[in-house]
Amino acid sequence: MSSLLDDDLTGPRPPVFWGALRTTLGRTPIWLTCWLAPLCLALVLAVPWRGFYQGVLANRYEPGSVVAFMDEGFRFDHRAELASLKRDTAGIAAALALVVMLFGVFAGGGWLQVFLERTQGHSLRRFLWGGARYFWRFARVWGVTLLTLALFSWLMYGWPWKMATKLLFGAEDGDLEVLVSERSALYVNWAQDGLYGALVGLLLVWGDYTRTRLALQDTRSAVWAGLCTWGLIFLHPLRTLRPMALLFVIEAVVVIALGMLARNADRGLGPESGAGTLLVLFALGQAALLWQGIARGARYHAAAQVSKQLVPPLAQPDPWAGRVGGPGGPQYPIDSTDDYGVSV
Amino acid sequence: MRLRARSGSRSRTSRAVIPGWSAGLAVLAAALLARENPAQEGERSPSRADYRIEARLDGETKALDGKLELRWTNRSGEAVRDLWFHLYLNAFSNNRSTHLVESDGKLRNKDVKEGWGWSRIVAIRVAGAENGGFEDVLPSLRYEHPDDDNEDDRTVFRVELPQALGSGETVRVQIEWESQLPRARRRTGYKDDFLLVAQWFPKLGVYEAGRGWNCHQFHMSTEFYSDYGTYDVTLDLPIEYEGKVGASGFKVNDSTKEGRVEVRFVAPSPADQRREDAFGKRPLVHDFTWTADPRFQIYRQTFHFQDWAERFPEEVAEARRIFGEEPKLRDVEVTVLLHPEHWRQRKRHFQATCAALFFYGLWFGEYPYELITVVDPAWGAAAGGMEYPTLFACGTRLFATEDMHTPEGVTVHECGHQFWYGLVGNNEFEAAWLDEGLNTYTDSEVLQRVYGLDRGTTDYSRVPVDGVRVADLPGGGAIGDALAARELRVPLPFVGDPKLRFLSPSGALDYWRDQPLFTFVSQWTDPRRADRIGYLADPDTDPIETAGWKYVDRESYGVNSYPRTGVALRTLQGLIGDAAFYKGMRHFARTWRYDHPYPEDFYRSFQEGSGETLDWYFRELFQGTGTVDWSIAVEQKKRVERRGFFQAPGGEFLEQERADPEEEESEEEKPKTPYHVEVELRRKGELCLPLTVRLTFADATTRDFVWSREEQQAATWKRIELDSEEKLASAVIDPERRYYIDRDLSNDRWYDEQDKLAPWRWAERVLAQYQHFLHFIQGLGG
């Protein structure tokens, strides 16, 4: 595993995204932890559903008849209990969403601690230490992220977009029915959704680089770091965005491939299916989430690599200014009581 | 908006009825149309309205001016002193019309601020005798409000006749009018250059013996009603519509002149007017609608009965067996007018139309016209999903597949209206269910036979993705939405929207968040079960038999007129069997073709045709609001081994014991029927229908029991006890699923064995859904 841990900069270097993936894959305890956290939270939500279905199905449905799919009649007959369960679960899930976002804040610090100090061993311990160290700074970045998300939502789905469609198409209040055809409306919708998706993606990349800058320079201002990051991205779009885009593409390809397998497995479920098919479904879903966790970690590594090349270190005060000698030698402040001399 | 409370009686209509003796004196020697037997005084048969219309459209302003000559033959059995007409376009003239008031000033959930439409009579003259002169009756024109006192509503007007028109006599009416087509928001009007022009000319109401003029205002929830006859319509349109016009009936002429195109349609076609249909009657129609769009692409194919008979031989055999005649349906030319982006679906539109022509024809009698036109309305025109004689508008979308029943569902339904409403012309104001409900029943039967189950999908940026979520997205309420990073409600005066929306719904992003490949479940629904779900949305507020504008709200209208009637009919079919049911329906369709039945006519005719006495059924299910929920509970016990002290023949008590407690009972000792089963049936609700309960045992044998209607009327429960050799494996109410009226099907069956896998299977989906969501949202934090 040493090759995965070894991100020595002296030899020929692989592409940033590739090196990021390799290094991250070597940090097994970390990405396992990142996978486990949402799993545990989701289990809290899923367990009541198992109980619900066990109670509802009980002796009322022929074994195997509701395994493959669930017709609308079933949902309708149990709509009152389902509505209540859905409402309760959705509310708890909202609270857990906040918890998991905070975990994300924590995990970002952990990943950066491990990658920036190039931890050798005890990576989980350093991960936890780093998460705690950077938590409040990264929480501020999270806040800025949400506000920027709100801005993007407003731009693409609020007044500016409606004004744009009114000027371009004469659409009042964003109503695309004024367009000539459904296809035109579809293209406009796709453009809107696509632009918004791209902006959100860009924002998430910005967040990664901002957190990296804060950790790299050990500064505190999330706003200033954020502004500098926007500048970095605009000045070096290819170097900053390319590795992130490639990582996303790889992530998406693997996830979609696993998804196709999962869909086929799901469609293979029938009245005679056993627990094996279910386990395969579960395993495929977890494999996708594990991979996505690794990809997330890899983005931090990539951001760290790129930032080390592009982000200049801050001017730091000389830590040795008030001391005699450099590192390794006597280091004590000189005052009137000091009568030592140094002879060469 | 709730409608004002009305009494149970029919709304006010004209009562200008001349006593019979003076009507007889008033019979004129007018030239009557030769083909139908004229009704004499006291007799009743449907009156007849023949229109000759010429209209001119201004392509820029969409103003439509026209003139018509109407020949109305009064066959009501009574003499008539006035004429009542509809001016439907005036429903869209302002926000004070009854239609707009009832819809809170909105059409399709949008405030109407422009694109108004109206219609104005410029001249109206009547003549009684064939060669008699026309008299101006415009000064007598009065707007009427038979349903409410809304003075601003101009959708009904009446004029006085110079002299009474006796039964059997014909009046000729010449009308000139000006109109402005509305922006199409409810079925009729224009959108850009697309036109679907319905209810566009001054249309005579229906005079009914003993009731007077049945000419209702145009309500939000009601449709249309008019006499049968023929139409000869000439349209003068801008040249860009050349070759792109569709209409009820047959195009007989098409010419261009001076930058305009003149096209003439006759409905029914001249050939159809000369032939008798399969029931020995001459085809007629009761409306005329037309459509035009320079962007139309035209697809024409012919429906051939034989093609479908080969595909569904068992259906043909069943029809032969039930009706005792060889099924045969005429060829029909199907013209599909599509917009370019839907051109790829042309064959699907054609096939769905043929499916309806085949099955409806097989069951209710041949479609009698030589052609039919299918219209794909323009995007944003709100003119889809509506029927007119020999023409109907469906509606589709991009990316729809056949198993989504789009456009198949709406196409079968609207084509089906050619039979229910087109051929059997019920009063859609007062008895909308007589066409909508009968059609809902039938279209579900067709869809299930031809297309199978309906696949559920979820849209992402208008692209349907297979499956649906099991659980809801996190959120709900102000706090929930804020925690889940959906939105935070804060006052933001500079933005004007009190919400900070973090994550907006957005196709691509939502797809990545949801990961449907891992989290969604397939959902397939039988169309007949979908009717049941529709019915249960509001199963007991209003009776089915309620006038269209008198339901408590639009939802009740929708439920009762459509799915509840469908469910009631399907349940009736389950009650009396397929043969009796289809005989009853076909007899009704045959008897009332080109006529105007009311509910009591349906009940009577159906019973005549089926040979069943069903007054109680119609009374309870169509005129009442009763529902039913049957349930079953089972207790099964195995006989326990003998334990304790038992008295021996000598009188002493001896303890029952064995040398070896594990020793099995000998064959003599074993009870022959070790299982004791108690099945308890319960009924909640007022309806009582004979019910079959099927018990299935471990050796696959079955026993059926019947809980009769009388037993249910006597008690709300019944217990069945029996001893059995074999263990009971299942107990099911209505095992053939003949009834769809039960409010809750989940308590209708019992199984000894429980499904161990299904709870885990569905819990896995919920786990996956939330886990993927949490992973996604974690990314916002880092």
Side-chain angles (χ1 to χ4, degrees):
Chain A
M1 292 292 282
S2 61
S3 62
L4 292 173
L5 295 173
D6 179 12
D7 51 2
D8 178 22
L9 300 179
T10 56
R13 303 190 62 212
V16 171
F17 79 95
W18 185 245
L21 273 173
R22 276 179 47 200
T23 308
T24 309
L25 272 168
R27 308 292 183 173
T28 310
I30 301 176
W31 49 258
L32 277 177
T33 304
C34 290
W35 162 72
L36 209 56
L39 172 62
C40 292
L41 295 178
L43 273 171
V44 169
L45 300 167
V47 163
W49 284 79
R50 190 197 155 269
F52 164 77
Y53 280 111
Q54 192 166 35
V56 152
L57 295 175
N59 295 93
R60 290 296 185 187
Y61 289 86
E62 188 174 3
S65 64
V66 288
V67 168
F69 66 90
M70 190 176 289
D71 85 344
E72 209 176 335
F74 177 95
R75 293 168 185 251
F76 190 80
D77 283 334
H78 299 288
R79 59 194 179 285
E81 310 118 291
L82 269 172
S84 173
L85 181 62
K86 282 182 181 183
R87 195 173 46 243
D88 294 343
T89 312
I92 298 171
L96 294 180
L98 176 65
V99 170
V100 87
M101 277 190 279
L102 293 173
F103 176 77
V105 171
F106 182 90
W111 280 115
L112 284 168
Q113 180 68 40
V114 167
F115 290 138
L116 288 175
E117 73 178 14
R118 287 193 251 147
T119 304
Q120 303 273 358
H122 304 296
S123 52
L124 184 60
R125 198 180 302 169
R126 299 308 293 162
F127 171 86
L128 295 173
W129 191 83
R133 178 184 177 187
Y134 294 112
F135 182 81
W136 292 111
R137 280 179 263 187
F138 289 4
R140 292 195 287 276
V141 175
W142 172 54
V144 176
T145 302
L146 289 178
L147 287 173
T148 314
L149 258 184
L151 175 67
F152 289 164
S153 288
W154 177 70
L155 280 173
M156 296 309 302
Y157 295 96
W159 178 87
W161 176 262
K162 291 177 183 174
M163 188 52 58
T165 51
K166 184 170 180 177
L167 291 171
L168 289 171
F169 312 121
E172 289 290 337
D173 203 31
D175 184 1
L176 296 181
E177 287 192 344
V178 300
L179 295 175
V180 164
S181 69
E182 185 189 359
R183 195 182 294 280
S184 309
L186 184 73
Y187 292 155
V188 171
N189 249 142
W190 284 358
Q192 182 185 28
D193 288 347
L195 268 172
Y196 180 71
L199 282 172
V200 172
L202 182 64
L203 182 65
L204 295 180
V205 168
W206 166 89
D208 290 340
Y209 277 110
T210 301
R211 284 182 283 272
T212 306
R213 177 184 283 263
L214 281 170
L216 199 58
Q217 295 182 334
D218 200 17
T219 51
R220 300 231 174 270
S221 172
V223 173
W224 180 247
L227 287 170
C228 292
T229 302
W230 283 121
L232 180 74
I233 293 175
F234 287 131
L235 285 173
H236 305 283
L238 212 55
R239 290 178 73 178
T240 51
L241 298 181
R242 183 173 51 195
M244 300 302 208
L246 286 169
L247 282 170
F248 176 72
V249 167
I250 293 172
E251 178 188 351
V253 164
V254 172
V255 167
I256 289 172
L258 288 170
M260 307 285 273
L261 291 172
R263 186 180 63 177
N264 287 342
D266 187 73
R267 285 181 179 171
L269 276 172
E272 305 303 323
S273 294
T277 313
L278 202 55
L279 282 171
V280 166
L281 265 180
F282 175 75
L284 287 168
Q286 298 311 310
L289 285 158
L290 276 165
W291 177 250
Q292 287 187 285
I294 292 168
R296 180 166 289 157
R299 282 196 281 276
Y300 278 113
H301 189 276
Q305 293 304 305
V306 172
S307 296
K308 279 181 192 171
Q309 293 163 24
L310 296 178
V311 174
L314 288 180
Q316 299 281 350
D318 182 352
W320 309 110
R323 297 172 190 274
V324 173
Q331 297 161 32
Y332 46 83
I334 298 172
D335 62 23
S336 58
T337 63
D338 185 7
D339 56 357
Y340 275 91
V342 176
S343 62
V344 176
Chain B
M1 176 185 169
R2 285 178 179 262
L3 301 174
R4 287 181 286 162
R6 310 292 300 179
S7 68
S9 61
R10 296 191 197 281
S11 63
R12 287 184 292 117
T13 53
S14 164
R15 297 282 175 184
V17 172
I18 305 293
W21 61 268
S22 57
L25 288 176
V27 169
L28 301 174
L32 294 172
L33 296 167
R35 297 181 203 102
E36 302 291 335
N37 290 327
Q40 299 305 317
E41 184 58 42
E43 289 181 7
R44 184 236 150 243
S45 70
S47 297
R48 173 152 170 167
D50 298 300
Y51 290 83
R52 184 188 293 272
I53 304 174
E54 292 171 25
R56 186 182 189 282
L57 177 81
D58 182 321
E60 291 299 317
T61 63
K62 302 296 190 286
L64 182 72
D65 299 339
K67 57 183 180 181
L68 65 84
E69 180 165 317
L70 160 68
R71 297 170 62 92
W72 182 62
T73 303
N74 172 19
R75 299 202 186 111
S76 65
E78 297 173 358
V80 169
R81 282 202 94 92
D82 54 4
L83 299 175
W84 287 53
F85 289 85
H86 295 282
L87 277 180
Y88 288 110
L89 286 185
N90 281 339
F92 309 111
S93 58
N94 56 60
N95 63 352
R96 294 283 192 265
S97 69
T98 293
H99 196 104
L100 268 282
V101 166
E102 288 174 356
S103 62
D104 287 335
K106 292 185 197 319
L107 292 175
R108 301 188 73 225
N109 293 320
K110 291 177 191 147
D111 284 324
V112 181
K113 293 177 187 162
E114 40 81 38
W116 305 99
W118 46 264
S119 208
R120 181 175 88 91
I121 304 300
V122 175
I124 179 167
R125 298 175 288 273
V126 300
E130 186 63 32
N131 298 319
F134 283 89
E135 292 186 45
D136 180 14
V137 295
L138 186 61
S140 73
L141 189 152
R142 299 285 180 273
Y143 289 102
E144 294 288 346
H145 317 101
D147 305 327
D148 59 23
D149 296 322
N150 183 2
E151 295 285 334
D152 290 319
D153 188 78
R154 294 283 191 270
T155 57
V156 173
F157 76 89
R158 62 185 278 272
V159 291
E160 301 280 346
L161 289 171
Q163 57 234 11
L165 184 73
S167 186
E169 296 177 348
T170 299
V171 65
R172 288 175 299 143
V173 185
Q174 290 178 343
I175 302 178
E176 293 167 29
W177 81 93
E178 294 171 350
S179 65
Q180 170 62 49
L181 294 181
R183 161 69 163 87
R185 293 192 185 88
R186 186 156 283 159
R187 307 191 191 105
T188 187
Y190 70 90
K191 194 252 173 178
D192 301 323
D193 289 329
F194 168 77
L195 299 161
L196 198 146
V197 186
Q199 318 306 336
W200 56 286
F201 56 92
K203 194 193 293 186
L204 190 69
V206 177
Y207 189 89
E208 298 174 331
R211 296 175 184 158
W213 282 104
N214 195 300
C215 193
H216 291 287
Q217 293 160 254
F218 190 10
H219 296 272
M220 176 188 72
S221 304
T222 58
E223 295 186 6
F224 315 105
Y225 184 38
S226 48
D227 274 327
Y228 283 93
T230 61
Y231 286 79
D232 184 336
V233 178
T234 302
L235 301 168
D236 179 348
L237 304 174
I239 192 69
E240 56 261 35
Y241 293 107
E242 184 184 9
K244 301 298 177 95
V245 184
S248 302
F250 185 85
K251 185 165 74 173
V252 296
N253 194 34
D254 189 340
S255 61
T256 59
K257 191 169 85 171
E258 294 170 5
R260 295 194 58 96
V261 59
E262 192 173 274
V263 59
R264 182 176 165 221
F265 290 88
V266 172
S269 70
D272 286 339
Q273 289 187 42
R274 289 191 294 271
R275 69 184 282 275
E276 288 183 351
D277 68 16
F279 292 153
K281 303 182 183 184
R282 292 289 172 97
L284 297 169
V285 294
H286 57 58
D287 196 2
F288 185 93
T289 293
W290 59 278
T291 182
D293 192 336
R295 296 180 68 231
F296 272 149
Q297 292 183 345
I298 301 170
Y299 178 73
R300 268 195 195 92
Q301 289 286 315
T302 303
F303 162 75
H304 297 295
F305 169 75
Q306 198 50 40
D307 296 339
W308 285 77
E310 286 167 9
R311 198 171 148 190
F312 295 96
E314 67 288 344
E315 298 288 346
V316 174
E318 181 69 358
R320 187 184 298 119
R321 184 187 70 78
I322 292 174
F323 303 123
E325 56 191 49
E326 185 59 36
K328 181 75 176 82
L329 304 175
R330 68 174 301 180
D331 290 352
V332 178
E333 184 185 274
V334 181
T335 300
V336 187
L337 303 174
L338 290 142
H339 282 87
E341 66 263 28
H342 299 144
W343 179 246
R344 293 175 69 176
Q345 298 179 14
R346 60 195 182 280
K347 289 185 181 170
R348 290 173 57 193
H349 282 81
F350 170 69
Q351 288 293 326
T353 303
C354 291
L357 291 174
F358 174 73
F359 281 99
Y360 282 70
L362 202 62
W363 296 329
F364 311 130
E366 178 189 80
Y367 175 80
Y369 312 107
E370 66 176 290
L371 43 73
I372 191 164
T373 302
V374 186
V375 183
D376 167 38
W379 167 252
M386 188 58 192
E387 70 278 4
Y388 310 96
T390 77
L391 177 148
F392 63 91
C394 39
T396 185
R397 52 176 287 190
L398 293 169
F399 308 116
T401 54
E402 197 174 273
D403 54 11
M404 290 164 62
H405 292 189
T406 299
E408 283 76 6
V410 67
T411 305
V412 168
H413 182 86
E414 300 309 333
C415 184
H417 271 306
Q418 300 302 312
F419 296 78
W420 304 124
Y421 142 93
L423 295 173
V424 177
N426 61 299
N427 183 338
E428 289 192 305
F429 289 93
E430 298 182 16
W433 64 270
L434 260 183
D435 68 302
E436 298 295 357
L438 272 62
N439 198 24
T440 298
Y441 160 81
T442 318
D443 77 45
S444 299
E445 296 291 323
V446 175
L447 286 170
Q448 191 272 330
R449 282 165 168 79
V450 180
Y451 298 104
L453 302 179
D454 182 4
R455 180 166 68 97
T457 58
T458 304
D459 274 7
Y460 290 96
S461 292
R462 298 182 192 270
V463 178
V465 166
D466 181 38
V468 296
R469 279 187 210 96
V470 177
D472 282 350
L473 287 172
I479 296 174
D481 286 348
L483 291 174
R486 285 164 82 170
E487 64 183 31
L488 182 66
R489 288 165 206 184
V490 287
L492 291 175
F494 58 91
V495 172
D497 185 336
K499 285 186 259 212
L500 270 179
R501 188 166 283 126
F502 300 122
L503 280 171
S504 287
S506 166
L509 204 62
D510 290 350
Y511 185 92
W512 192 246
R513 176 198 66 200
D514 293 343
Q515 294 293 336
L517 294 174
F518 295 101
T519 63
F520 276 17
V521 297
S522 294
Q523 179 175 279
W524 296 90
T525 304
D526 186 325
R528 297 168 299 181
R529 296 280 186 122
D531 287 345
R532 172 179 168 267
I533 291 167
Y535 141 67
L536 288 174
D538 191 359
D540 53 12
T541 301
D542 286 311
I544 290 174
E545 200 187 303
T546 302
W549 71 98
K550 292 186 178 179
Y551 290 105
V552 67
D553 54 25
R554 192 168 169 83
E555 186 189 27
S556 183
Y557 163 82
V559 165
N560 283 288
S561 302
Y562 292 75
R564 183 153 173 234
T565 304
V567 167
L569 289 171
R570 191 162 288 118
T571 301
L572 176 61
Q573 180 182 8
L575 178 68
I576 63 176
D578 293 351
F581 178 80
Y582 282 116
K583 281 180 183 168
M585 293 292 283
R586 189 180 178 93
H587 181 72
F588 169 65
R590 177 200 291 260
T591 305
W592 290 92
R593 186 172 273 208
Y594 314 123
D595 207 336
H596 303 304
Y598 274 90
E600 54 270 22
D601 300 314
F602 170 69
Y603 306 145
R604 184 176 54 249
S605 182
F606 184 92
Q607 291 177 86
E608 282 170 7
S610 65
E612 301 279 343
T613 303
L614 295 162
D615 285 327
W616 65 270
Y617 187 87
F618 294 122
R619 189 172 53 248
E620 289 182 24
L621 270 83
F622 286 78
Q623 295 173 345
T625 55
T627 60
V628 66
D629 174 17
W630 294 296
S631 63
I632 191 168
V634 173
E635 206 173 311
Q636 178 165 227
K637 300 174 196 166
K638 192 170 180 187
R639 296 255 184 97
V640 296
E641 61 182 26
R642 292 161 65 90
R643 246 182 256 135
F645 285 79
F646 293 84
Q647 196 166 27
E652 65 278 23
F653 275 88
L654 300 173
E655 187 172 10
Q656 183 74 36
E657 59 186 22
R658 300 183 185 285
D660 177 0
E662 298 298 321
E663 182 188 335
E664 283 190 12
E665 290 177 304
S666 66
E667 285 304 313
E668 292 77 27
E669 289 173 326
K670 273 188 189 173
K672 295 283 185 282
T673 53
Y675 294 97
H676 180 73
V677 177
E678 286 184 15
V679 176
E680 188 173 286
L681 305 169
R682 284 186 184 252
R683 175 182 62 80
K684 283 187 196 167
E686 302 85 348
L687 298 178
C688 301
L689 300 174
L691 200 60
T692 301
V693 180
R694 178 164 297 159
L695 306 186
T696 305
F697 297 89
D699 62 352
T701 56
T702 61
R703 277 183 72 177
D704 285 359
F705 296 85
V706 174
W707 190 13
S708 69
R709 174 173 156 79
E710 291 70 30
E711 286 175 317
Q712 291 181 48
Q713 286 173 321
T716 61
W717 61 273
K718 172 174 176 161
R719 188 170 290 129
I720 302 167
E721 289 188 49
L722 53 93
D723 296 314
S724 167
E725 283 182 41
E726 293 290 333
K727 196 176 183 190
L728 182 69
S730 68
V732 178
I733 288 176
D734 189 19
E736 311 291 334
R737 188 47 57 213
R738 303 293 294 178
Y739 298 150
Y740 285 75
I741 202 95
D742 196 330
R743 288 185 80 141
D744 183 358
L745 292 177
S746 68
N747 55 13
D748 278 17
R749 63 210 101 149
W750 175 91
Y751 294 87
D752 181 54
E753 189 185 335
Q754 294 191 34
D755 193 327
K756 301 263 188 308
L757 188 66
W760 289 104
R761 187 270 197 276
W762 297 113
E764 185 276 331
R765 292 284 98 172
V766 173
L767 176 72
Q769 179 185 332
Y770 282 123
Q771 198 179 352
H772 279 278
F773 174 84
L774 290 174
H775 173 84
F776 171 86
I777 209 79
Q778 179 190 331
L780 296 186

